[in-house]
Amino acid sequence: MSVKNAFYAQSGGVTAVINASAAGVIETARLHPEQIGTVYAGHNGIIGALTEDLIDTSQEPDENIAALRHTPSGAFGSCRYKLKSLEANRAEYERLIEVFRAHNIGYFFYNGGGDSADTCLKISQLAETMGYPIQAIHVPKTVDNDLPITDCCPGFGSVAKYVATSIREAGFDVASMAATSTKVFILEVMGRHAGWITAACGLASEAEDQPPHILLFPEVKFDQQAFLARVQQCVETYGYCVIGVSEGIKNTEGKFLSETGLTDAFGHAQLGGVAPTIANLVKDKLGYKYHWAVADYLQRAARHIASKVDVEQAYALGQAAVRMALDGKNAVMPAIRRLQDSPYQWDIIEAPLKDVANVEKFMPPEFITEDGFHITDACRRYLSPLIQGEDYPPFRNGLPDYVRLNNVTVERKLATFKI
Amino acid sequence: MSVKNAFYAQSGGVTAVINASAAGVIETARLHPEQIGTVYAGHNGIIGALTEDLIDTSQEPDENIAALRHTPSGAFGSCRYKLKSLEANRAEYERLIEVFRAHNIGYFFYNGGGDSADTCLKISQLAETMGYPIQAIHVPKTVDNDLPITDCCPGFGSVAKYVATSIREAGFDVASMAATSTKVFILEVMGRHAGWITAACGLASEAEDQPPHILLFPEVKFDQQAFLARVQQCVETYGYCVIGVSEGIKNTEGKFLSETGLTDAFGHAQLGGVAPTIANLVKDKLGYKYHWAVADYLQRAARHIASKVDVEQAYALGQAAVRMALDGKNAVMPAIRRLQDSPYQWDIIEAPLKDVANVEKFMPPEFITEDGFHITDACRRYLSPLIQGEDYPPFRNGLPDYVRLNNVTVERKLATFKI
């Protein structure tokens, strides 16, 4: 078998563990020089391939690649860029082939979510559509946990652990202040379409009186009256109320709540942030003193409180992607299969990319309580294994010691290409 | 020496380590039954004393008291309540003495910030003003780090570690996304009057190109033009810009920026949050895509990423407070004295309460760079020791295992008292 080089790139919103997948890919490829030559990383995802902006990962010392395992974010740069269809933009595909050919690339690893799976699928078809033989393997990643087939998506478990930890801690805080100060606390979390991250907040509560008391899912239309009644009931029963809210909740007319609330002094539309909107509603209708937090990027970058299970899965999926490539596979994605809830047992199976691309996995209705404000035991059984174990990064000078790669660029061989 | 009981209470905004001070007080008192009988904790701070709402900490098993060391928030409830002067409300002082006498209380430990030091000072004078002999010792606590004399305040070091960790992680995230997405990220932190927490964000940056690139201190009037120019320069030079901003920054007219920005759909004044205001300004004037986060209570409750130095100091100050009481001291506060920057060495000295009460410590001007947008090396030398070391809590089911005390209430002996 002739030696071919590999292309690896990161796509979409980054996570606390996408670099662990990168480490899995690169370290495994390095073990097989008889089949895989150099792993070239795309600078800023697929854009790096289009613009021939390639990073030579063989120039990176082993310890730097190993350190990717504990470094959040996308070490090679990510991108939000979706390839159009072959019909709509044939020039892009021709350019990709030109770059792949110039650098003898026969393996394509794309690390991303649903959109990236679609890109990866298109690349996998280049042999039949454009006569360029390449094996394309998708490595799953998304904090939103919305990919099908796989038990979960790397990145999600760590966000879940972060939000559950954070809302538990804030809950303890509010409980101590409620007698004379803050009575309602609201934490806004990510997940515009699927409520997985909001659901994870619920793990912090192990009894009805424990915070968070209310979760607002994007899957459940926001019912202002029922919500306010529940807030009041919590404050009257427990002395305070802690709320986890998805950035993507919608009102009964189907409009994002974050878009209904705020205008600035210049009359511009809102600035994002459903938490302040909810807070104001509570203040306005019930008069309670409130505090709110918006975790935003903090939640998906929080490698310091990553889930050990998540880190292990992210790395293992990177490894498995390379093994599948070595086995001659194409148009597949390694996926997590759950064998047992507790203790959690899982292995890795092969998912056909055509069943993954552009399919979104939502929360099943049976994971949400009947009143729409919390998670069920079934949901806990699903979520709990994903946040198990700690995997602390090394610290230097009191702070996490994350690696910045040298990212040595490969000399260009081709004319420039405008995207 | 006759045995007297002790009163301990927590005051003001709680922290990740105020319970570590509580553990220091209670565990040390338990070692001296020949002088200190029962430690009664005030339920919700001084309010617990006024309303005779006392918790019998002797009913709490040793392991629960030990677990306070790793549990954030105020385990006995805190309060925002400042005693008036003796002249203004003599009835309150008479009531306190009534409660202290009924429960044979001869030691008063108050765990709080500047306002609480003032309360503690008033209690310490009860012997001379009201003829009731009591020793009052203040245990310092405040995330704002604004108490005088002491090198730092317990609670601050852990917030500092949290914000520096968080903004470093978010900085890595933004760096990977900037090519095609978010270019400016803003993290809002606490510290309405003093910029210590904002300054701590700066520790995440160890070179000029490393985030955060800009810090906005409450000590520096917000200069919109200079700020926007610096943001643009960062984006053009580094590709992105990360900003740490204090909730308390003011515009050139001295008005809080958070109060200038937003009105909601009903025309109500703003909802808090200077981060969205800054974000909107950046979008409006420079057109950059932005994200923002507001850490709020998450930062001061984040025991999972507490500073080991901070935890040790919090505990040691609780211990020292009891030792001072045993030594017959009154109207004092144990304070941290810095002996050496690196490696950090400190001991505990005695600060007279009259020099602590109602005195705020601000950032010295030489800790802020000339352009007003970052911290100096002198500031780094001061801050860095305070975030050293990790002190992870135990985890159960993937989440920090914080203790909820039984908080057994003492039977009331007196008539009720309305506050």
Side-chain angles (χ1 to χ4, degrees), chain A residues 304-354:
Chain A
H304 75 274
I305 186 70
S307 151
K308 190 179 171 74
V309 164
D310 191 31
V311 175
E312 284 171 355
Q313 290 184 337
Y315 187 87
L317 288 164
Q319 266 183 325
V322 174
R323 284 203 205 104
M324 288 178 186
L326 294 171
D327 287 346
K329 302 294 169 69
N330 187 26
V332 295
M333 174 186 92
I336 302 290
R337 178 173 60 176
R338 180 179 300 221
L339 302 172
Q340 186 181 289
D341 283 333
S342 176
Y344 187 39
Q345 284 181 16
W346 53 276
D347 64 4
I348 291 178
I349 56 168
E350 209 178 284
L353 263 191
K354 65 175 171 42

Side-chain angles (χ1 to χ4, degrees), chain A residues 1-328:
Chain A
M1 197 172 187
S2 73
V3 176
K4 291 275 188 183
N5 297 320
F7 175 86
Y8 166 83
Q10 302 175 319
S11 178
V14 294
T15 79
V17 303
I18 183 172
N19 282 334
S21 292
V25 167
I26 296 167
E27 291 185 340
T28 311
R30 284 183 178 188
L31 298 174
H32 298 278
E34 74 292 351
Q35 279 180 264
I36 301 177
T38 301
V39 177
Y40 295 121
H43 189 207
N44 301 319
I46 192 73
I47 291 173
L50 287 166
T51 59
E52 204 195 357
D53 190 359
L54 303 177
I55 293 160
D56 183 354
T57 69
S58 73
Q59 303 289 313
E60 210 67 51
D62 285 346
E63 60 267 29
N64 279 10
I65 300 301
L68 286 180
R69 193 182 162 117
H70 64 246
T71 299
S73 84
F76 307 108
S78 186
C79 72
R80 296 202 179 276
Y81 191 88
K82 193 173 176 176
L83 287 187
K84 292 204 178 65
S85 70
L86 185 57
E87 299 72 42
N89 197 342
R90 191 175 181 92
E92 276 193 338
Y93 292 87
E94 284 167 350
R95 170 63 177 190
L96 284 176
I97 290 176
E98 191 185 22
V99 171
F100 293 159
R101 186 170 281 132
H103 297 278
N104 191 32
I105 287 167
Y107 307 100
F108 179 88
F109 300 103
Y110 209 37
N111 206 167
D115 279 1
S116 320
D118 181 71
T119 295
C120 195
L121 182 60
K122 285 169 182 153
I123 300 288
S124 75
Q125 295 159 343
L126 284 183
E128 23 185 304
T129 56
M130 312 272 292
Y132 183 84
I134 190 162
Q135 290 169 245
I137 318 279
H138 189 246
V139 188
K141 165 243 68 167
T142 150
V143 294
D144 290 335
N145 201 38
D146 57 358
L147 291 178
I149 304 176
T150 188
D151 183 50
C152 58
C153 300
F156 169 67
S158 294
V159 177
K161 192 179 182 90
Y162 172 89
V163 298
T165 297
S166 298
I167 206 162
R168 171 171 287 184
E169 291 177 331
F172 268 79
D173 190 305
V174 182
S176 19
M177 301 304 296
T180 58
S181 180
T182 302
K183 292 211 171 21
V184 176
F185 176 78
I186 301 148
L187 173 63
E188 175 179 331
V189 301
M190 287 180 159
R192 197 160 262 278
H193 304 294
W196 294 106
I197 298 178
T198 309
C201 291
L203 291 174
S205 165
E206 294 177 313
E208 206 181 283
D209 61 335
Q210 290 180 13
H213 307 100
I214 299 177
L215 303 175
L216 299 175
F217 300 99
E219 284 88 351
V220 179
K221 280 201 178 133
F222 180 68
D223 177 340
Q224 179 171 317
Q225 215 171 338
F227 167 71
L228 290 169
R230 182 88 183 100
V231 171
Q232 186 167 13
Q233 186 205 351
C234 288
V235 173
E236 286 171 0
T237 312
Y238 313 124
Y240 67 111
C241 181
V242 173
I243 301 159
V245 55
S246 157
E247 60 179 342
I249 61 163
K250 291 173 180 166
N251 64 17
T252 41
E253 288 110 56
K255 202 171 170 191
F256 282 121
L257 220 73
S258 59
E259 285 170 5
T260 62
L262 302 172
T263 48
D264 67 13
F266 315 97
H268 292 139
Q270 65 87 35
L271 307 161
V274 68
T277 305
I278 295 283
N280 207 41
L281 180 68
V282 166
K283 174 75 184 167
D284 196 44
K285 302 291 184 189
L286 300 173
Y288 296 134
K289 184 164 163 28
Y290 63 79
H291 262 248
W292 55 266
V294 177
D296 195 64
Y297 285 175
L298 268 51
Q299 69 200 286
R300 73 180 198 193
R303 182 60 185 81
H304 75 274
I305 186 70
S307 151
K308 190 179 171 74
V309 164
D310 191 31
V311 175
E312 284 171 355
Q313 290 184 337
Y315 187 87
L317 288 164
Q319 266 183 325
V322 174
R323 284 203 205 104
M324 288 178 186
L326 294 171
D327 287 346

Side-chain angles (χ1 to χ4, degrees), chain B residues 32 65 72 75 179 194 250 293 332 353 404:
Chain B
H32 298 278
I65 299 301
K250 292 174 179 165
V332 293
L353 264 191
R404 286 183 171 85

